[in-house]
């Protein structure tokens, strides 16, 4: 097994997801909430988060491939699965795993705005600001981390570790 250190426990995740659920329930009262989960990394966060939101929600997913090395994202971004439901006039909440350089989110927002939603906001499980390249707004953040490559709770390294219930810093990457 690789050298890894737990940095966010599963109980801390669960507490934070409940808090975010309360904040989002208040923020989206009387709005037409449409969650867009970003596969693959945000599949667990999306599933946990929507169960803490107490307003009507529609849920759909996009899948985005970003071709870089296994531990870095790159500007070479490809949408390999689009949303299939109609979002026009609805209030989109993009649910992301990590915002790092911001390139993926910038691309996705530009793509979704063409579908004429009423609004687009972003909720990211982790905000990692140290390598930000583009100025994209992240409206709701689970946890901020300053550096390093992390896995678990949906996040992978070479497709491994997504099923770990906590978040770990992968030291040798
Ligand atoms: P960005 O386009 O903001 O640089 O990259 C965002 C994507 O890169 C995330 O959705 C995630 O898939 C991947 N990524 C960035 N940092 C990490 C990390 O520390 N761990 C993992 N597993 N993926 C990361």
């Amino acid at each position: 097994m690789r050298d890894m250190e737990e940095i966010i426990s599963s109980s801390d995740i669960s507490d934070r997801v409940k808090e975010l659920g309360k904040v989002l329930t208040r923020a989206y009262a009387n709005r037409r909430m449409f969650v867009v989960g970003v596969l693959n990394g945000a599949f667990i966060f999306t599933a946990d988060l929507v169960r803490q939101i107490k307003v009507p929600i529609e849920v759909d997913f996009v899948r985005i491939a970003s071709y870089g090395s296994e531990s870095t994202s790159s500007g070479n971004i490809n949408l390999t699965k689009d949303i299939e439901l109609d979002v026009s006039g609805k209030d989109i909440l993009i649910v992301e795993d990590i915002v790092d350089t911001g390139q993926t989110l910038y691309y996705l927002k530009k793509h979704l705005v063409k579908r004429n939603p009423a609004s687009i906001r972003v909720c990211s499980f982790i905000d990692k600001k140290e390598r930000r390249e583009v100025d994209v707004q992240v409206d709701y953040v689970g946890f901020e981390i300053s550096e390093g490559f992390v896995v678990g709770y949906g996040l992978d390294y070479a497709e491994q570790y997504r099923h770990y219930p906590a978040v770990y810093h992968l030291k040798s990457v």
Side-chain angles (χ1 to χ4, degrees), residues 21-173:
K22 286 188 186 140
V23 169
L24 289 165
T25 298
R26 277 196 297 273
Y28 282 82
N30 307 316
R31 303 179 80 169
R32 299 178 69 192
M33 189 175 198
F34 191 106
V35 164
V36 177
V38 184
L39 297 172
N40 290 343
F43 79 109
I44 293 177
F45 181 46
T46 306
D48 283 350
L49 187 64
V50 294
R51 285 179 288 175
Q52 299 300 329
I53 298 173
K54 314 294 180 204
V55 295
I57 316 179
E58 287 177 80
V59 183
D60 205 348
F61 291 91
V62 291
R63 183 164 182 185
I64 294 183
S66 150
Y67 300 103
S69 75
E70 282 163 343
S71 62
T72 58
S73 52
S74 74
N76 204 349
I77 294 161
N78 225 339
L79 190 79
T80 58
K81 185 218 169 299
D82 204 346
I83 49 167
E84 289 160 50
L85 303 175
D86 180 17
V87 289
S88 60
K90 297 176 187 168
D91 293 295
I92 291 180
L93 182 71
I94 297 173
V95 177
E96 255 287 25
D97 55 355
I98 295 194
V99 181
D100 184 13
T101 64
Q103 298 283 3
T104 306
L105 189 55
Y106 179 77
Y107 171 93
L108 181 59
K109 276 181 132 175
K110 230 171 58 180
H111 174 75
L112 290 173
V113 86
K114 292 183 207 147
R115 304 293 187 85
N116 300 314
S119 65
I120 304 182
R121 289 188 195 166
V122 178
C123 178
S124 186
F125 175 55
I126 289 174
D127 191 359
K128 202 161 78 171
K129 291 205 173 103
E130 65 158 344
R131 298 197 306 173
R132 197 61 47 86
E133 289 169 7
V134 287
D135 187 21
V136 278
Q137 188 169 330
V138 184
D139 305 278
Y140 307 97
V141 173
F143 298 91
E144 275 190 30
I145 62 171
S146 52
E147 58 182 356
F149 191 81
V150 295
V151 296
Y153 196 68
L155 292 155
D156 76 309
Y157 176 71
E159 296 305 325
Q160 296 300 305
Y161 316 120
R162 290 194 198 275
H163 63 297
Y164 284 25
V167 173
Y168 296 83
H169 180 204
L170 204 57
K171 290 191 171 166
S172 50
V173 170

